[in-house]
């Protein structure tokens, strides 16, 4: 069913192009890449923790289409990806409703352009700037329901190991960690990595006497 209706009241400006056109353009680009024998240029596939990027979703609700700018299931990015589709979110009905209310109707499929539409529960590679803007909208109480009351809880949780490191150009690591479905494990991994780096520094640095 369609997302619930919301009223958008905010002075926050969105710098991304019209989303329906962007979705179509991104999907046309993905289709063209699949038809081309040339491998598209991509940047190193590391997540925000600095480890190997995990798959976000290789088959969006049984459509046979993967998420991501390259439609391969990963939130990878490269020179062609101006929108930086790098944040692996887990969509909710409230998120999709707010997204549609601010002009980004992700729930609407465009099958001719390899865009299956996003449903609650789907994992999807969202533009990093969009995710940062959702955080700002919630912080500013900028989205309100028909009753005039602020709507909260619409910023989707993320899968941090599947979120590309270029997301950090739009928000800090703590903003992502605090919204990760695997926050506890991610923080433990960060601590382990820092301990390894510290041990490495001790082995390569001259000992102090």
């Amino acid at each position: 069913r369609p997302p619930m209706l919301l009223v958008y009241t905010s002075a926050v400006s969105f710098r991304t192009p019209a989303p329906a056109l962007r979705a179509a353009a991104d999907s046309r680009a993905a289709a063209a890449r699949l038809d081309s024998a040339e491998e598209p240029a991509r940047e190193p596939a590391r997540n925000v923790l600095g480890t190997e990027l995990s798959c976000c979703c290789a088959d969006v609700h049984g459509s046979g289409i993967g998420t991501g700018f390259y439609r391969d299931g990963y939130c990878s990015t490269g020179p062609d990806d101006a929108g930086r589709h790098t944040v692996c979110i887990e969509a909710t009905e409230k998120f999709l409703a707010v997204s549609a209310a601010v002009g980004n109707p992700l729930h609407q499929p465009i099958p001719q352009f390899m865009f299956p539409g996003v449903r609650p529960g789907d994992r999807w590679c969202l533009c990093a700037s969009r995710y940062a803007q959702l955080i700002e909208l919630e912080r500013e109480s900028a989205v309100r329901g028909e009753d005039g009351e602020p709507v909260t809880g619409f910023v989707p949780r993320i899968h941090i190991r599947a979120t590309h490191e270029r997301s950090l150009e739009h928000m800090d690591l703590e903003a992502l960690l605090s919204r990760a479905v695997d926050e506890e494990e991610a923080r433990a991994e960060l601590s382990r990595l820092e301990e390894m780096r510290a041990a490495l520094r001790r082995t390569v640095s001259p000992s102090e006497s």
Side-chain angles (χ1 to χ4, degrees):
R1 60 189 178 87
M4 55 186 171
L5 295 177
L6 294 168
V7 177
Y8 172 64
T9 55
S10 175
V12 177
S13 62
F14 284 79
R15 295 179 294 277
T16 50
L21 296 177
R22 171 172 287 282
D26 289 344
S27 299
R28 284 196 297 270
R33 286 190 299 275
L34 288 178
D35 291 338
S36 172
E38 183 179 353
E39 179 69 18
R42 306 189 194 190
E43 297 178 4
R46 291 189 295 267
N47 59 39
V48 294
L49 304 179
T51 58
E52 183 179 357
L53 187 69
S54 298
C55 180
C56 183
C57 181
D59 185 6
V60 180
H61 56 253
S63 65
I65 299 172
T67 187
F69 181 73
Y70 300 101
R71 295 295 190 264
D72 61 356
Y74 288 81
C75 297
S76 300
T77 189
D80 295 334
D81 181 19
R84 295 295 183 204
H85 296 73
T86 54
V87 182
C88 180
I89 66 153
E90 189 164 303
T92 64
E93 184 175 355
K94 190 177 287 188
F95 155 70
L96 291 171
V98 171
S99 186
V102 297
N104 193 22
L106 294 172
H107 65 288
Q108 295 178 353
I110 314 176
Q112 64 269 38
F113 294 133
M114 291 182 60
F115 181 66
V118 182
R119 302 174 184 172
D122 285 348
R123 295 185 185 184
W124 188 257
C125 295
L126 188 67
C127 290
S129 59
R130 279 286 179 184
Y131 195 78
Q133 289 161 349
L134 287 171
I135 294 174
E136 184 177 359
L137 288 175
E138 187 165 67
R139 183 174 62 247
E140 298 295 329
S141 299
V143 180
R144 298 176 182 270
E146 292 180 312
D147 58 2
E149 293 298 313
V151 176
T152 61
F154 56 81
V155 181
R157 305 292 297 277
I158 70 165
H159 293 267
I160 204 160
R161 290 180 177 83
T163 296
H164 196 280
E165 62 182 351
R166 293 299 292 266
S167 304
L168 296 173
E169 296 175 356
H170 298 269
M171 67 213 88
D172 60 35
L173 180 57
E174 183 57 37
L176 294 168
L177 282 170
S178 64
R179 294 171 174 84
V181 297
D182 48 355
E183 177 183 0
E184 186 175 343
E185 295 86 349
R187 291 187 185 277
E189 184 169 351
L190 276 176
S191 296
R192 180 182 62 82
L193 290 171
E194 184 51 42
E195 290 173 0
M196 292 174 62
R197 294 188 189 102
L200 181 60
R201 287 194 294 268
R202 289 193 295 269
T203 62
V204 299
S205 300
S207 59
E208 297 181 0
S209 57

